[in-house]
Amino acid sequence: MPADLPPRLGRRAALAAAWLAAGLTASPWAWGNDAAAAAADPPGSSLPALAAQFRVTLSRPGQACQTQTWQITRSHSLITWLKGPGTEELWRRDRSGIRLERVMRSDRHVIEYSAGELRALDVVLDWGALATLFPADQLKGLRPLASPARAGPVLHLRGHIGQEQVDLLWDPAAQLPVRLARSGPQGQVLFERIALHVQAPAAWPQAGAGLDDFQRVDASDFGDMAYNPVVRKAHALDQRAGWRRTHAD
């Protein structure tokens, strides 16, 4: 579990926090999902297609704030995330489950994680959490407050999840936060939505574009490629996300 994340809240919540974290500073945050549950028509299958951008701020005691722009595009079978510079993820689902393509653009590599490989890594996946920034089953654990005056219906929810304090402005129509603050002993992650569209504008960066001549590596082959520098980098990202053990574990 990354040192910059709140304490463990159980396997699923920890992976969820890890996915969030895997975007700042080359991958200090990340969130998880449930491959088996997402096979045919899993929770989240009715989510509207959209594209959105968030300003993401990580605050930690005694350290300068880090701010990045994150971008999501969402359809029935594909979710793409651009998490600041250098972190690009394409999540796909079909009847076999959820699979991931992690784009290492500066190295011109794509690391492919099949649904089976993610299950082998004991990665618990939830399509809805990937697609919404906040697991739907955790909404009921927050108490409703009066919504601030703003265009359109927005739910203001607040509460605790484990040792985290959560303050959420939730957009039910888009099934996305307008604002999400998660605070714990080790700091705060703040998401503020700055743009929302049915389709990504042409001027936005396009996740997964221009990959035809990139080298593709199957994550199940990491053991045979331990001295490959790109594999070592991808392995380190997996460790930060809580998917693989570190030498200290």
Short mmCIF file of all heavy atoms in Angstrom, two decimals, residues 17-25 27-31 52-57 67-73 80-85 87 89 133 189 191-195 204:
data_model
loop_
_atom_site.label_atom_id
_atom_site.label_comp_id
_atom_site.label_asym_id
_atom_site.label_seq_id
_atom_site.Cartn_x
_atom_site.Cartn_y
_atom_site.Cartn_z
N ALA A 17 -8.59 2.63 -2.86
CA ALA A 17 -7.76 3.78 -2.54
C ALA A 17 -6.48 3.75 -3.36
O ALA A 17 -5.98 4.77 -3.81
CB ALA A 17 -7.43 3.78 -1.05
N ALA A 18 -5.94 2.57 -3.57
CA ALA A 18 -4.70 2.45 -4.35
C ALA A 18 -4.91 2.91 -5.77
O ALA A 18 -4.05 3.56 -6.35
CB ALA A 18 -4.20 1.01 -4.34
N TRP A 19 -6.03 2.58 -6.38
CA TRP A 19 -6.27 3.01 -7.76
C TRP A 19 -6.33 4.53 -7.85
O TRP A 19 -5.78 5.14 -8.75
CB TRP A 19 -7.55 2.39 -8.29
CG TRP A 19 -7.84 2.86 -9.66
CD1 TRP A 19 -7.24 2.49 -10.82
CD2 TRP A 19 -8.81 3.83 -10.02
NE1 TRP A 19 -7.77 3.17 -11.87
CE2 TRP A 19 -8.73 4.00 -11.41
CE3 TRP A 19 -9.74 4.59 -9.30
CZ2 TRP A 19 -9.56 4.88 -12.09
CZ3 TRP A 19 -10.56 5.46 -9.98
CH2 TRP A 19 -10.46 5.60 -11.37
N LEU A 20 -7.02 5.13 -6.88
CA LEU A 20 -7.05 6.59 -6.84
C LEU A 20 -5.63 7.14 -6.73
O LEU A 20 -5.25 8.07 -7.41
CB LEU A 20 -7.85 7.07 -5.62
CG LEU A 20 -9.36 7.07 -5.76
CD1 LEU A 20 -9.98 7.49 -4.46
CD2 LEU A 20 -9.79 7.96 -6.89
N ALA A 21 -4.87 6.52 -5.87
CA ALA A 21 -3.54 7.02 -5.62
C ALA A 21 -2.62 6.82 -6.78
O ALA A 21 -1.65 7.52 -6.94
CB ALA A 21 -2.97 6.33 -4.40
N ALA A 22 -2.88 5.87 -7.64
CA ALA A 22 -1.89 5.52 -8.65
C ALA A 22 -1.76 6.54 -9.74
O ALA A 22 -1.10 6.29 -10.71
CB ALA A 22 -2.23 4.17 -9.27
N GLY A 23 -2.34 7.69 -9.63
CA GLY A 23 -2.23 8.67 -10.68
C GLY A 23 -1.28 9.79 -10.40
O GLY A 23 -0.66 10.29 -11.31
N LEU A 24 -1.11 10.22 -9.17
CA LEU A 24 -0.21 11.34 -8.89
C LEU A 24 1.21 10.82 -8.71
O LEU A 24 1.43 9.76 -8.17
CB LEU A 24 -0.64 12.06 -7.60
CG LEU A 24 -1.76 13.07 -7.78
CD1 LEU A 24 -2.24 13.56 -6.46
CD2 LEU A 24 -1.33 14.22 -8.64
N THR A 25 2.17 11.64 -9.14
CA THR A 25 3.60 11.32 -9.05
C THR A 25 3.91 9.96 -9.59
O THR A 25 4.26 9.04 -8.87
CB THR A 25 4.11 11.42 -7.60
OG1 THR A 25 3.56 10.38 -6.83
CG2 THR A 25 3.81 12.74 -6.97
N SER A 27 2.48 7.51 -10.23
CA SER A 27 1.59 6.46 -9.77
C SER A 27 1.53 6.34 -8.28
O SER A 27 1.66 5.27 -7.74
CB SER A 27 1.98 5.13 -10.37
OG SER A 27 0.89 4.29 -10.37
N PRO A 28 1.29 7.44 -7.52
CA PRO A 28 1.12 7.27 -6.10
C PRO A 28 -0.30 6.95 -5.68
O PRO A 28 -0.52 6.85 -4.51
CB PRO A 28 1.56 8.60 -5.51
CG PRO A 28 1.44 9.56 -6.56
CD PRO A 28 1.40 8.81 -7.87
N TRP A 29 -1.31 6.84 -6.56
CA TRP A 29 -2.66 6.48 -6.14
C TRP A 29 -3.26 5.43 -7.07
O TRP A 29 -2.75 5.19 -8.12
CB TRP A 29 -3.59 7.71 -6.09
CG TRP A 29 -2.99 8.98 -5.61
CD1 TRP A 29 -1.79 9.16 -5.00
CD2 TRP A 29 -3.55 10.27 -5.69
NE1 TRP A 29 -1.59 10.46 -4.70
CE2 TRP A 29 -2.64 11.18 -5.12
CE3 TRP A 29 -4.75 10.78 -6.19
CZ2 TRP A 29 -2.89 12.54 -5.03
CZ3 TRP A 29 -4.99 12.14 -6.10
CH2 TRP A 29 -4.07 13.00 -5.52
N ALA A 30 -4.39 4.75 -6.75
CA ALA A 30 -5.02 3.71 -7.62
C ALA A 30 -6.34 3.17 -7.06
O ALA A 30 -6.53 3.24 -5.90
CB ALA A 30 -4.06 2.58 -7.81
N TRP A 31 -7.24 2.56 -7.84
CA TRP A 31 -8.49 1.99 -7.30
C TRP A 31 -8.78 0.64 -7.91
O TRP A 31 -8.39 0.35 -9.01
CB TRP A 31 -9.67 2.93 -7.58
CG TRP A 31 -10.76 2.84 -6.56
CD1 TRP A 31 -11.17 1.76 -5.85
CD2 TRP A 31 -11.59 3.91 -6.12
NE1 TRP A 31 -12.18 2.09 -4.99
CE2 TRP A 31 -12.46 3.40 -5.15
CE3 TRP A 31 -11.69 5.26 -6.45
CZ2 TRP A 31 -13.42 4.17 -4.51
CZ3 TRP A 31 -12.63 6.02 -5.82
CH2 TRP A 31 -13.49 5.48 -4.86
N ALA A 52 -15.10 13.32 -18.88
CA ALA A 52 -15.01 14.32 -17.82
C ALA A 52 -13.56 14.55 -17.45
O ALA A 52 -12.71 13.67 -17.64
CB ALA A 52 -15.80 13.88 -16.59
N GLN A 53 -13.30 15.73 -16.93
CA GLN A 53 -11.98 16.05 -16.39
C GLN A 53 -12.13 16.51 -14.94
O GLN A 53 -13.12 17.14 -14.58
CB GLN A 53 -11.29 17.14 -17.22
CG GLN A 53 -10.82 16.68 -18.58
CD GLN A 53 -10.04 17.75 -19.33
OE1 GLN A 53 -10.17 18.94 -19.04
NE2 GLN A 53 -9.26 17.33 -20.32
N PHE A 54 -11.13 16.17 -14.14
CA PHE A 54 -11.09 16.53 -12.73
C PHE A 54 -9.76 17.20 -12.42
O PHE A 54 -8.71 16.79 -12.92
CB PHE A 54 -11.22 15.28 -11.84
CG PHE A 54 -12.55 14.61 -11.89
CD1 PHE A 54 -12.84 13.68 -12.87
CD2 PHE A 54 -13.54 14.90 -10.95
CE1 PHE A 54 -14.07 13.05 -12.92
CE2 PHE A 54 -14.76 14.28 -10.99
CZ PHE A 54 -15.04 13.35 -11.98
N ARG A 55 -9.82 18.21 -11.57
CA ARG A 55 -8.61 18.72 -10.95
C ARG A 55 -8.41 17.91 -9.67
O ARG A 55 -9.30 17.84 -8.81
CB ARG A 55 -8.73 20.21 -10.63
CG ARG A 55 -7.49 20.78 -9.96
CD ARG A 55 -7.53 22.31 -9.87
NE ARG A 55 -8.76 22.79 -9.25
CZ ARG A 55 -9.71 23.46 -9.92
NH1 ARG A 55 -9.56 23.74 -11.21
NH2 ARG A 55 -10.79 23.87 -9.30
N VAL A 56 -7.25 17.29 -9.53
CA VAL A 56 -6.97 16.38 -8.42
C VAL A 56 -5.83 16.96 -7.60
O VAL A 56 -4.76 17.23 -8.12
CB VAL A 56 -6.61 14.97 -8.93
CG1 VAL A 56 -6.46 14.01 -7.75
CG2 VAL A 56 -7.66 14.46 -9.90
N THR A 57 -6.08 17.12 -6.30
CA THR A 57 -5.09 17.71 -5.40
C THR A 57 -4.79 16.74 -4.27
O THR A 57 -5.72 16.27 -3.59
CB THR A 57 -5.58 19.05 -4.83
OG1 THR A 57 -5.94 19.92 -5.90
CG2 THR A 57 -4.50 19.70 -3.98
N THR A 67 -0.91 18.86 -7.65
CA THR A 67 -2.15 19.03 -8.39
C THR A 67 -1.96 18.51 -9.81
O THR A 67 -0.94 18.80 -10.46
CB THR A 67 -2.57 20.51 -8.44
OG1 THR A 67 -2.74 20.99 -7.10
CG2 THR A 67 -3.89 20.67 -9.19
N GLN A 68 -2.94 17.76 -10.27
CA GLN A 68 -2.92 17.23 -11.63
C GLN A 68 -4.32 17.32 -12.22
O GLN A 68 -5.30 17.53 -11.51
CB GLN A 68 -2.46 15.76 -11.65
CG GLN A 68 -1.01 15.55 -11.29
CD GLN A 68 -0.60 14.10 -11.43
OE1 GLN A 68 -1.42 13.22 -11.71
NE2 GLN A 68 0.69 13.83 -11.24
N THR A 69 -4.40 17.12 -13.54
CA THR A 69 -5.68 16.96 -14.22
C THR A 69 -5.84 15.50 -14.59
O THR A 69 -4.96 14.91 -15.21
CB THR A 69 -5.76 17.84 -15.48
OG1 THR A 69 -5.64 19.22 -15.10
CG2 THR A 69 -7.08 17.63 -16.20
N TRP A 70 -6.96 14.92 -14.18
CA TRP A 70 -7.31 13.55 -14.56
C TRP A 70 -8.46 13.60 -15.56
O TRP A 70 -9.32 14.50 -15.49
CB TRP A 70 -7.73 12.73 -13.35
CG TRP A 70 -6.61 12.31 -12.46
CD1 TRP A 70 -5.37 12.86 -12.35
CD2 TRP A 70 -6.66 11.24 -11.51
NE1 TRP A 70 -4.64 12.20 -11.40
CE2 TRP A 70 -5.39 11.21 -10.87
CE3 TRP A 70 -7.64 10.32 -11.14
CZ2 TRP A 70 -5.09 10.27 -9.87
CZ3 TRP A 70 -7.34 9.40 -10.14
CH2 TRP A 70 -6.08 9.37 -9.53
N GLN A 71 -8.48 12.65 -16.47
CA GLN A 71 -9.52 12.61 -17.51
C GLN A 71 -10.06 11.20 -17.65
O GLN A 71 -9.31 10.23 -17.73
CB GLN A 71 -8.91 13.07 -18.84
CG GLN A 71 -9.87 13.03 -20.02
CD GLN A 71 -9.19 13.53 -21.27
OE1 GLN A 71 -8.59 14.61 -21.29
NE2 GLN A 71 -9.24 12.75 -22.34
N ILE A 72 -11.38 11.08 -17.70
CA ILE A 72 -12.04 9.80 -17.91
C ILE A 72 -12.91 9.87 -19.16
O ILE A 72 -13.56 10.89 -19.42
CB ILE A 72 -12.91 9.40 -16.69
CG1 ILE A 72 -13.59 8.03 -16.93
CG2 ILE A 72 -13.94 10.47 -16.35
CD1 ILE A 72 -14.39 7.51 -15.75
N THR A 73 -12.90 8.81 -19.95
CA THR A 73 -13.94 8.59 -20.96
C THR A 73 -14.58 7.26 -20.64
O THR A 73 -13.89 6.30 -20.24
CB THR A 73 -13.37 8.59 -22.39
OG1 THR A 73 -12.41 7.54 -22.52
CG2 THR A 73 -12.72 9.92 -22.71
N THR A 80 -11.38 4.73 -20.11
CA THR A 80 -10.00 5.19 -20.22
C THR A 80 -9.75 6.25 -19.15
O THR A 80 -10.62 7.08 -18.88
CB THR A 80 -9.67 5.77 -21.61
OG1 THR A 80 -10.35 7.02 -21.79
CG2 THR A 80 -10.09 4.80 -22.71
N TRP A 81 -8.57 6.20 -18.58
CA TRP A 81 -8.15 7.19 -17.60
C TRP A 81 -6.80 7.75 -17.99
O TRP A 81 -5.86 7.00 -18.29
CB TRP A 81 -8.02 6.55 -16.20
CG TRP A 81 -9.30 6.47 -15.43
CD1 TRP A 81 -10.10 5.38 -15.25
CD2 TRP A 81 -9.93 7.55 -14.72
NE1 TRP A 81 -11.18 5.70 -14.47
CE2 TRP A 81 -11.11 7.02 -14.13
CE3 TRP A 81 -9.60 8.89 -14.53
CZ2 TRP A 81 -11.96 7.81 -13.37
CZ3 TRP A 81 -10.46 9.67 -13.76
CH2 TRP A 81 -11.62 9.13 -13.19
N LEU A 82 -6.71 9.06 -17.99
CA LEU A 82 -5.43 9.77 -18.06
C LEU A 82 -5.26 10.45 -16.71
O LEU A 82 -6.04 11.33 -16.35
CB LEU A 82 -5.43 10.81 -19.18
CG LEU A 82 -5.54 10.28 -20.61
CD1 LEU A 82 -5.72 11.43 -21.59
CD2 LEU A 82 -4.30 9.47 -20.97
N LYS A 83 -4.27 10.02 -15.95
CA LYS A 83 -4.08 10.51 -14.59
C LYS A 83 -2.80 11.34 -14.54
O LYS A 83 -1.74 10.84 -14.16
CB LYS A 83 -4.00 9.35 -13.60
CG LYS A 83 -5.22 8.46 -13.60
CD LYS A 83 -5.00 7.29 -12.65
CE LYS A 83 -6.15 6.31 -12.70
NZ LYS A 83 -5.89 5.13 -11.86
N GLY A 84 -2.90 12.58 -14.97
CA GLY A 84 -1.72 13.42 -14.99
C GLY A 84 -0.73 12.93 -16.04
O GLY A 84 -1.01 12.03 -16.83
N PRO A 85 0.44 13.50 -16.07
CA PRO A 85 1.43 13.10 -17.07
C PRO A 85 1.96 11.70 -16.80
O PRO A 85 2.35 11.38 -15.68
CB PRO A 85 2.53 14.15 -16.92
CG PRO A 85 2.39 14.67 -15.52
CD PRO A 85 0.93 14.60 -15.21
N THR A 87 0.53 8.60 -16.82
CA THR A 87 -0.29 7.49 -16.35
C THR A 87 -1.52 7.38 -17.25
O THR A 87 -2.38 8.25 -17.24
CB THR A 87 -0.71 7.67 -14.88
OG1 THR A 87 0.46 7.82 -14.07
CG2 THR A 87 -1.50 6.47 -14.40
N GLU A 89 -4.43 4.52 -18.69
CA GLU A 89 -5.02 3.19 -18.50
C GLU A 89 -6.23 3.02 -19.40
O GLU A 89 -7.07 3.92 -19.51
CB GLU A 89 -5.46 3.01 -17.04
CG GLU A 89 -4.32 3.10 -16.03
CD GLU A 89 -4.81 3.13 -14.60
OE1 GLU A 89 -6.04 3.27 -14.38
OE2 GLU A 89 -3.96 3.03 -13.71
N LEU A 133 -15.37 6.82 -9.81
CA LEU A 133 -14.49 7.35 -8.77
C LEU A 133 -14.97 7.04 -7.37
O LEU A 133 -14.25 7.32 -6.40
CB LEU A 133 -14.32 8.88 -8.87
CG LEU A 133 -13.25 9.41 -9.79
CD1 LEU A 133 -13.25 10.94 -9.78
CD2 LEU A 133 -11.88 8.90 -9.39
N VAL A 189 -7.09 13.62 -0.40
CA VAL A 189 -7.21 13.62 -1.85
C VAL A 189 -8.50 14.38 -2.19
O VAL A 189 -9.58 14.04 -1.67
CB VAL A 189 -7.28 12.19 -2.42
CG1 VAL A 189 -7.44 12.24 -3.94
CG2 VAL A 189 -6.03 11.41 -2.06
N PHE A 191 -10.93 15.74 -5.38
CA PHE A 191 -11.31 15.70 -6.79
C PHE A 191 -12.36 16.79 -7.02
O PHE A 191 -13.38 16.81 -6.36
CB PHE A 191 -11.90 14.35 -7.17
CG PHE A 191 -10.94 13.20 -7.11
CD1 PHE A 191 -10.68 12.57 -5.90
CD2 PHE A 191 -10.28 12.75 -8.25
CE1 PHE A 191 -9.79 11.52 -5.83
CE2 PHE A 191 -9.39 11.70 -8.19
CZ PHE A 191 -9.14 11.08 -6.97
N GLU A 192 -12.11 17.65 -8.00
CA GLU A 192 -13.07 18.69 -8.38
C GLU A 192 -13.33 18.59 -9.87
O GLU A 192 -12.41 18.74 -10.68
CB GLU A 192 -12.51 20.08 -8.03
CG GLU A 192 -12.24 20.27 -6.55
CD GLU A 192 -11.50 21.56 -6.27
OE1 GLU A 192 -10.29 21.62 -6.59
OE2 GLU A 192 -12.12 22.50 -5.73
N ARG A 193 -14.56 18.32 -10.24
CA ARG A 193 -14.88 18.17 -11.67
C ARG A 193 -14.85 19.53 -12.35
O ARG A 193 -15.50 20.47 -11.90
CB ARG A 193 -16.26 17.52 -11.83
CG ARG A 193 -16.47 16.92 -13.22
CD ARG A 193 -17.78 16.15 -13.27
NE ARG A 193 -18.93 17.03 -13.32
CZ ARG A 193 -20.18 16.66 -13.04
NH1 ARG A 193 -20.44 15.42 -12.67
NH2 ARG A 193 -21.18 17.51 -13.13
N ILE A 194 -14.11 19.59 -13.45
CA ILE A 194 -13.95 20.88 -14.15
C ILE A 194 -14.55 20.85 -15.55
O ILE A 194 -14.66 21.91 -16.19
CB ILE A 194 -12.47 21.29 -14.22
CG1 ILE A 194 -11.62 20.20 -14.87
CG2 ILE A 194 -11.94 21.61 -12.82
CD1 ILE A 194 -10.15 20.58 -15.04
N ALA A 195 -14.94 19.67 -16.05
CA ALA A 195 -15.54 19.59 -17.38
C ALA A 195 -16.32 18.29 -17.49
O ALA A 195 -15.93 17.26 -16.93
CB ALA A 195 -14.49 19.65 -18.49
N TRP A 204 -9.14 17.49 -26.52
CA TRP A 204 -8.64 16.75 -25.36
C TRP A 204 -7.64 15.69 -25.80
O TRP A 204 -7.74 15.13 -26.91
CB TRP A 204 -9.80 16.07 -24.64
CG TRP A 204 -10.63 16.99 -23.80
CD1 TRP A 204 -10.66 18.36 -23.86
CD2 TRP A 204 -11.55 16.60 -22.79
NE1 TRP A 204 -11.56 18.85 -22.94
CE2 TRP A 204 -12.12 17.79 -22.27
CE3 TRP A 204 -11.97 15.38 -22.28
CZ2 TRP A 204 -13.07 17.78 -21.25
CZ3 TRP A 204 -12.92 15.36 -21.27
CH2 TRP A 204 -13.46 16.56 -20.76
#
